[in-house]
Amino acid sequence: MTAPMSQLFILAPNGHAIVYKDYRGELPKDTSETFFHELVEKGAASCPPVFAVDGVSYVSVKQSGLHFLVTSVDNVCPSLVLSLLTQLTKVIKDYLGVLNEEALRKNFTLVYEIVDEVIDYGYPQGAATTELQTYLFNKPVPVEAPSVASVLPSFKANPKTMASAAAAKSVVAQGQGIAGWRAGGGNEIFIDLVDRVSVLLTAEGQVRTFSVDGCIQMKSFLKGSPQVHLALNEDLVVGGGAGARGGGGGAGYGAVHLDDVNFHECVVLDRFEGEKVLTLAPPSGEFVVMNFRIGTLRSERQLPFRLWPSVHALSEFKKELQVTVKADFPEKLHAVNVRISFVVPKSVTSVAVSLPPGAAKGAQTASYTEATRLVEWVVKKWPGGAALSLSTKVVLPAGCDLKKEMGPISMAFEIPCYNVSQLAVRHLHILERDKSYKPHRWVRCLTHASSYCCRV
């Protein structure tokens, strides 16, 4: 049997405990202050998810700005606790609709009810949304998200599209528990195809490493428990070589290649080999239908962005780093929340950052933070096919080689309606019980950077 957990905290971004459970009376209530002190001292990016201080183990998961923290005086299994905390965030999100500080405070009683069922006297219990339905009696208080119409009064909704916030609702908000919601609540299903891209580029723009970790996520609000058929690309190939799964002995030009896949336990694969169809009866709440991985670059089109850094000597003490970035995805699409950053060497005494002439005011910003030596370039909306550049002039002692002392350039971005993997939902068929059964289907694609770096 695994060692027990001593305490559970759900902390707000400022460190205040929104939810606190002491299971065994072994530690003081202010134990979370030690965790938050370590978090502030080391920085959110550098603080490990598992560490120990004065004989107390701290295991944490960060989600939506909130810290889910477990403390223990015993030698708990870190992977088990991390898995439990991750599942707890999913269950709370399923029941509240959204996961943020406001939702937790408005649903204080329901959250404690969930926590009491998931962990008992420091030991993990069942943590599945469907399993908990019998034991939870409080109803969620909805947290309203701003609608598109309130932000853009002139916006006219397209009946074929829906705001992404539409899926942010509780699975039990429209009935007496999940059973009541299944019988008479909403009647729609949401599917997300998400690609997380990791790339390392050389200074010349060549690809050193490339990988895509992706998944198909589903959130069902369907009445009853209908069977769903999810059809993927007909030319989908899993694995490599003649024994590739579903490849028919090999893959032709233009086929969609996935190196590895795994499926949710509810997925039936009888039709996957020949027809690329996944059969399932979606469980309650949000879950991952399929995880997949691509480990090699098979086409230059798979790179959403290309970076070319170049260093020019302006004088003996002054040098310029020019970073040019080009978007290699279709022109009709846009990348959002694009953030390019790098740290200048300690030997640098002065930094001047400048955007190219003609840059639209407010569309992009560039800044330098002296305390962290961080140069940050932010572009709100990056059109496909567009190339932009940033100039950074630095002053450093004579004889210093800027290229050798510089770290990599990092890039973060999101590209809606685009998949690097080229995985697509061919059709989504719901087995209707009668002609009046007309569910709504919503499919969304998203590509974002997991680790996108370029050496100087």
Side-chain angles (χ1 to χ4, degrees):
M1 181 180 289
T2 181
M5 296 168 278
S6 301
Q7 298 170 313
L8 171 72
F9 297 89
I10 302 180
L11 305 177
N14 61 1
H16 177 72
I18 305 173
V19 174
Y20 165 67
K21 291 290 294 184
D22 188 352
Y23 295 105
R24 308 180 69 83
E26 300 168 327
L27 294 170
K29 188 176 181 179
D30 60 355
T31 312
S32 62
E33 295 181 8
T34 304
F35 165 79
F36 202 73
H37 175 74
E38 290 287 321
L39 187 70
V40 173
E41 188 176 85
K42 295 182 179 179
S46 302
C47 186
V50 182
F51 62 88
V53 177
D54 297 330
V56 180
S57 299
Y58 296 82
V59 185
S60 66
V61 168
K62 184 178 181 181
Q63 187 72 25
S64 303
L66 304 170
H67 295 276
F68 289 72
L69 170 67
V70 160
T71 62
S72 178
V73 297
D74 296 302
N75 188 22
V76 295
C77 176
S79 59
L80 174 63
V81 178
L82 288 172
S83 177
L84 178 67
L85 291 176
T86 302
Q87 182 61 26
L88 180 61
T89 64
K90 295 178 181 179
V91 171
I92 293 177
K93 184 180 179 182
D94 284 340
Y95 278 91
L96 305 190
V98 293
L99 183 60
N100 55 36
E101 185 176 353
E102 181 187 2
L104 289 181
R105 294 190 184 280
K106 284 189 174 182
N107 295 275
F108 194 79
T109 308
L110 177 58
V111 173
Y112 267 99
E113 199 174 17
I114 294 172
V115 170
D116 286 340
E117 296 298 335
V118 172
I119 304 175
D120 183 28
Y121 197 58
Y123 292 98
Q125 308 297 312
T129 303
T130 307
E131 294 175 359
L132 295 174
Q133 61 175 302
T134 310
Y135 309 103
L136 302 180
F137 301 98
N138 284 281
K139 297 179 182 179
V141 178
V143 176
E144 296 293 335
S147 63
V148 177
S150 64
V151 180
L152 301 172
S154 60
F155 177 81
K156 295 182 179 180
N158 185 338
K160 294 184 179 180
T161 62
M162 181 175 285
S164 59
K169 54 187 175 183
S170 171
V171 296
V172 295
Q174 302 182 26
Q176 300 295 330
I178 292 181
W181 159 71
R182 283 289 197 188
N187 195 20
E188 50 194 0
I189 185 169
F190 297 86
I191 294 179
D192 286 343
L193 281 76
V194 183
D195 286 355
R196 296 177 292 273
V197 188
S198 298
V199 174
L200 176 61
L201 300 169
T202 66
E204 293 75 28
Q206 301 298 316
V207 180
R208 290 296 302 270
T209 62
F210 173 89
S211 65
V212 177
D213 292 292
C215 66
I216 301 177
Q217 292 180 328
M218 180 179 291
K219 191 168 187 178
S220 173
F221 294 91
L222 296 173
K223 295 180 182 178
S225 299
Q227 193 176 74
V228 174
H229 292 171
L230 181 67
L232 304 178
N233 311 59
E234 290 183 335
D235 57 353
L236 177 63
V237 178
V238 178
R245 184 178 185 181
Y253 176 78
V256 177
H257 295 258
L258 305 180
D259 292 332
D260 300 290
V261 296
N262 62 66
F263 302 93
H264 190 271
E265 58 188 12
C266 72
V267 178
V268 178
L269 301 175
D270 294 346
R271 299 176 57 191
F272 182 68
E273 295 286 350
E275 304 175 55
K276 308 301 182 296
V277 174
L278 304 178
T279 304
L280 66 154
S284 304
E286 185 175 328
F287 69 102
V288 177
V289 178
M290 182 179 88
N291 289 299
F292 61 88
R293 175 177 171 80
I294 301 173
T296 57
L297 182 69
R298 292 188 170 91
S299 170
E300 293 294 325
R301 296 176 301 171
Q302 290 182 295
L303 282 180
F305 284 96
R306 285 192 173 275
L307 293 84
W308 294 278
S310 58
V311 177
H312 309 283
L314 304 179
S315 67
E316 185 181 358
F317 303 99
K318 194 172 185 179
K319 294 183 179 180
E320 178 186 22
L321 172 62
Q322 188 85 16
V323 180
T324 302
V325 184
K326 183 182 179 182
D328 270 354
F329 50 87
E331 296 181 2
K332 62 181 180 180
L333 302 177
H334 291 80
V336 296
N337 303 325
V338 181
R339 191 179 304 271
I340 300 168
S341 60
F342 54 88
V343 178
V344 298
K346 293 182 179 179
S347 57
V348 170
T349 57
S350 176
V351 177
V353 184
S354 60
L355 295 170
K361 187 177 181 181
Q364 50 181 310
T365 59
S367 61
Y368 170 67
T369 305
E370 188 173 356
T372 57
R373 309 190 313 279
L374 180 70
V375 175
E376 196 169 51
W377 179 22
V378 178
V379 182
K380 294 182 179 179
K381 194 173 182 180
W382 197 307
L388 302 175
S389 60
L390 175 74
S391 173
T392 304
K393 297 178 181 178
V394 299
V395 176
L396 68 170
C400 290
D401 191 333
L402 182 62
K403 294 188 70 172
K404 288 185 177 180
E405 296 186 21
M406 276 280 297
I409 300 172
S410 300
M411 188 173 187
F413 57 83
E414 296 177 4
I415 311 176
C417 305
Y418 181 71
N419 280 93
V420 168
S421 63
Q422 299 180 359
L423 188 68
V425 174
R426 187 159 33 100
H427 65 77
L428 177 63
H429 180 57
I430 302 170
L431 299 185
E432 297 88 352
R433 296 166 296 182
D434 51 60
K435 293 183 179 179
S436 63
Y437 190 79
K438 296 181 179 179
H440 297 284
R441 307 163 178 85
W442 309 103
V443 179
R444 178 176 59 175
C445 301
L446 176 67
T447 291
H448 65 87
S450 176
S451 175
Y452 211 94
C453 300
C454 179
R455 294 175 178 171
V456 178

